[in-house]
């Protein structure tokens, strides 16, 4: 009898332990099953490592000019060849990873913080606050993103910092509208109404209940937004509105090399490949995170 009771008591506990899997652990397990997502994660980690140890792996300074070696093709001495000033392209691409990732991370971080705050306020309080913030979002979204970024940089002046500010501004509505829609859905749940009924303060409801339930789409959007930010920074650099010479920003490198497309195609190929691979990595990783974190995507 004792053994039977023991067994009947242990079975439910074991079942509960099997079912009590952390949502984040379950998401990671789902993410690991997505081979393309793992490839994207590997690409992102690779470029982060390259950016972190750039001074150790770059054989030359990105500023060093040797006019006698201008437009040399790839070789054992210069792996990616040299540009029109005799600068080593491999060293400049390596250092350019720092700049592109820096712009991508910090511009998205700024737009995520501001957009999330505005989206939460608009969705939670509603009424005229929601109308005012939503109209601001609509105005920003009425312009093509790259044209709005060009206009902002034209007003502030061409520089890498101003390009970062412009990219952050144009991405605010994307986070704001996403978070607003999530808050509008979550605040109708019964546990939110129960929290209001017992007199819980708005700030506690926001940070303890609504924010944790809104974090998943923010993570996915942030990952995909970094890829977009890197492309936008490269576009501004190519137009001469972003990083200025001799900064080794990938878009700026493409602009400096566009006149040598037939004479020295390697001057455009390697910076362009760096942009393509980095953006591909973040997109693949973002798609994998969306599939792992979004319950609607799970089978």
């Amino acid at each position: 009898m004792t053994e039977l009771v023991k067994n009947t008591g242990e079975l439910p506990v074991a079942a509960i332990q099997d079912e009590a899997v952390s949502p984040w652990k379950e998401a990671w397990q789902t993410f690991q099953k997505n081979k393309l997502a793992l490839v994207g994660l590997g690409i992102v980690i690779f470029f982060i490592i390259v950016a972190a140890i750039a001074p150790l792996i770059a054989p030359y300074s990105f500023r060093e000019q040797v006019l006698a070696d201008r437009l040399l093709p790839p070789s054992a001495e210069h792996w990616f060849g040299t540009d029109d000033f005799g600068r080593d392209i491999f060293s400049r691409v390596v250092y350019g990873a720092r700049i592109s990732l820096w712009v991508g991370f910090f511009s998205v971080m700024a737009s995520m913080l501001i957009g999330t705050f505005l989206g939460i306020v608009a969705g939670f309080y509603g009424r005229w606050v929601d109308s005012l913030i939503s109209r601001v979002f609509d105005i920003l979204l009425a312009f093509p993103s790259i044209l709005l970024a060009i206009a902002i940089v034209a007003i502030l002046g061409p520089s890498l910092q101003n390009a970062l500010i412009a990219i952050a501004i144009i991405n605010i509505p994307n986070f704001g509208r996403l978070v607003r829609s999530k808050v509008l859905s979550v605040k109708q749940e019964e546990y939110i109404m129960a929290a209001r009924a017992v007199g819980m303060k708005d700030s506690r409801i926001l940070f303890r209940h609504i924010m944790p339930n809104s974090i998943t789409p923010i993570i996915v959007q942030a990952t995909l937004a970094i890829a977009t930010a890197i492309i936008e920074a490269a576009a501004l650099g190519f137009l001469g509105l972003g990083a200025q010479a001799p900064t080794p920003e990938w878009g700026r490198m493409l602009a400096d090399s566009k006149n040598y497309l037939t004479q020295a195609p390697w001057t455009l190929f390697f910076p362009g490949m760096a942009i393509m691979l980095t953006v591909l990595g973040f997109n693949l990783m973002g798609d994998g995170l969306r599939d792992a974190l979004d319950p609607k995507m799970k089978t």
Side-chain angles (χ1 to χ4, degrees), residues 270-281:
F270 291 109
M273 282 296 296
I275 296 172
M276 186 272 290
L277 288 175
T278 307
V279 172
L280 176 65

Side-chain angles (χ1 to χ4, degrees), residues 5 30 32 48 55 126 197 201 220 223 225 255 266 268 297:
V5 173
T30 305
Q32 286 180 304
I48 291 175
K201 294 181 179 179
V220 176
T223 306
W266 57 86
L268 288 92
M297 302 297 294

